[in-house]
């Protein structure tokens, strides 16, 4: 009876008696309705008039950040795109990559537009510096579902976690980061040019990783949190920093590589 109450909390004693004595469920128990009702009251199994609504996990995809949560560094990365404009009204596209476990911002790349090759070059650099993640979570935008990117990630042995369409809450970590980025920087800065945007955004990324305490990390900075992890490789680079952004650079020529290489070009 307790097992049935856990499974069907809104069933009463009479319905439970019918199920208990039915041949298809429990083999046809020989029990009277009076005994079931007496035990029902003694064990306080009465159906309450008021009930609290059950909060389901957000979204229905198995790849959401709640159902598939990061357990360690380089377990799950997330990446997404934001839109911004320079003073002359021309579009800027911003590629953001974060580590969901450490909350560290691994890269903020800025360009007028992104091709699949640009995304691959950014990920290739991060894989070489920080190691390849086990999973890469994203939405279903055209920049991330491109066939060339999916094939490259498959060769790098990185599993993709594509959230359900129109369900941004399933990619909650990067969406929260995007909100902080827009509130603390994008809504306060007027970019005069693309190079200026790259410099300002990269400086904000460094401040975010090394100087900004994070509530989800017990008010440690992402860099301090990473430094305290036992699984931190001795040769790991605390923050990827480069003089020249790979976005817009000459794409590397396609070559043949060993299977599952994290530095595939």
């Amino acid at each position: 009876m307790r097992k049935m109450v856990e499974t069907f909390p809104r069933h009463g004693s009479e319905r439970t008696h019918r199920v208990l004595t039915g041949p298809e469920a429990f083999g046809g128990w020989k029990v009277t309705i009076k005994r079931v009702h007496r035990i029902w009251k003694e064990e306080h199994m009465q159906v309450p008039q008021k009930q609290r609504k059950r909060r389901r996990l957000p979204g229905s995809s198995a790849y959401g950040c709640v159902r598939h949560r990061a357990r360690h560094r380089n377990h799950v990365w997330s990446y997404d795109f934001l839109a911004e404009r320079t003073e002359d009204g021309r579009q800027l596209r911003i590629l953001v990559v974060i580590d969901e476990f450490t909350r560290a911002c691994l890269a903020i790349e800025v360009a007028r537009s992104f091709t699949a090759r640009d995304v691959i070059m950014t990920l290739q650099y991060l894989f070489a510096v920080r190691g390849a993640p086990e999973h890469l979570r994203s939405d279903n935008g055209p920049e991330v579902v491109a066939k060339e990117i999916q094939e490259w990630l498959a060769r790098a042995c990185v599993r993709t976690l594509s959230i359900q369409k129109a369900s941004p809450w399933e990619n909650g970590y990067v969406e929260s980061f995007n909100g902080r980025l827009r509130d603390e920087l994008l809504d306060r800065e007027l970019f005069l040019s693309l190079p200026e945007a790259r410099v300002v955004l990269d400086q904000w990324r460094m401040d975010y990783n090394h100087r900004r305490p994070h509530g989800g990390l017990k008010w440690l900075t992402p860099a301090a949190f990473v430094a305290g992890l036992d699984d931190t490789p001795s040769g790991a680079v605390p923050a990827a920093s480069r003089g020249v952004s790979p976005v817009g650079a000459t794409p590397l020529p396609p070559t043949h590589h060993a299977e599952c290489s994290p530095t595939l070009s």
Side-chain angles (χ1 to χ4, degrees):
M1 288 173 63
R2 291 194 183 98
K3 182 178 179 181
M4 293 182 60
V5 169
E6 292 177 359
T7 307
F8 307 102
R10 303 303 294 176
H11 286 187
S13 59
E14 184 176 359
R15 189 184 304 273
T16 300
H17 173 259
R18 295 295 180 92
V19 175
L20 287 173
T21 56
E24 68 282 353
F26 292 89
W29 283 18
K30 302 300 181 181
V31 58
T32 64
I33 180 63
K34 291 184 177 180
R35 186 177 183 185
V36 171
H37 184 70
R38 176 174 55 80
I39 298 175
W40 192 269
K41 294 183 65 177
E42 290 176 355
E43 297 296 326
H44 304 287
M45 297 181 182
Q46 295 93 331
V47 179
Q49 294 295 327
K50 294 183 179 181
Q51 57 177 324
R52 295 183 61 183
K53 290 189 176 181
R54 180 180 178 183
R55 183 182 294 275
R56 294 281 184 174
L57 292 176
S60 59
S61 172
Y63 298 146
C65 62
V66 175
R67 290 182 173 87
H68 198 107
R69 189 183 300 273
R71 301 300 181 186
H72 52 79
R73 186 167 65 98
N74 283 356
H75 184 199
V76 182
W77 289 6
S78 297
Y79 65 135
D80 196 12
F81 285 88
L82 291 88
E84 187 59 36
R85 293 187 180 275
T86 51
E87 184 187 25
D88 56 6
R90 298 179 61 190
Q91 175 180 265
L92 288 177
R93 295 287 286 169
I94 303 173
L95 169 61
V96 170
V97 186
I98 67 169
D99 185 319
E100 291 191 0
F101 184 76
T102 66
R103 310 295 205 275
C105 177
L106 309 181
I108 298 180
E109 296 295 344
V110 192
R112 296 296 182 183
S113 62
F114 279 88
T115 65
R117 196 64 172 175
D118 294 331
V119 176
I120 290 174
M121 293 181 70
T122 299
L123 294 177
Q124 177 185 344
Y125 175 84
L126 293 176
F127 289 6
V129 171
R130 298 176 175 271
E134 297 180 25
H135 305 274
L136 194 60
R137 196 191 322 271
S138 67
D139 56 17
N140 295 275
E143 301 94 340
V144 298
V145 299
K147 182 178 179 181
E148 184 177 358
I149 296 178
Q150 299 301 314
E151 292 178 349
W152 183 83
L153 290 174
R155 295 199 304 272
C157 293
V158 176
R159 299 179 180 179
T160 58
L161 304 176
S162 297
I163 66 173
Q164 189 180 20
K165 292 183 178 180
S167 301
W169 53 86
E170 293 188 352
N171 202 7
Y173 289 99
V174 75
E175 292 292 343
S176 176
F177 176 85
N178 292 344
R180 301 285 75 74
L181 174 59
R182 185 163 295 281
D183 178 64
E184 297 178 12
L185 180 71
L186 298 183
D187 288 347
R188 301 177 63 248
E189 293 284 347
L190 180 61
F191 300 123
L192 302 180
S193 63
L194 176 59
E196 179 190 8
R198 286 175 174 168
V199 171
V200 174
L201 281 163
D202 193 62
Q203 181 61 50
W204 185 88
R205 182 183 68 85
M206 296 296 291
D207 290 340
Y208 178 88
N209 287 338
H210 295 272
R211 300 181 182 88
R212 183 185 186 277
H214 199 294
L217 303 177
K218 297 182 179 180
W219 300 109
L220 294 174
T221 64
F225 179 75
V226 171
L229 295 178
D230 295 334
D231 63 341
T232 303
S234 58
V237 179
S241 178
R242 53 181 170 274
V244 180
S245 169
V247 175
T250 303
L252 298 177
T255 56
H256 297 286
H257 297 269
E259 187 178 0
C260 290
S261 171
T263 58
L264 293 175
S265 61

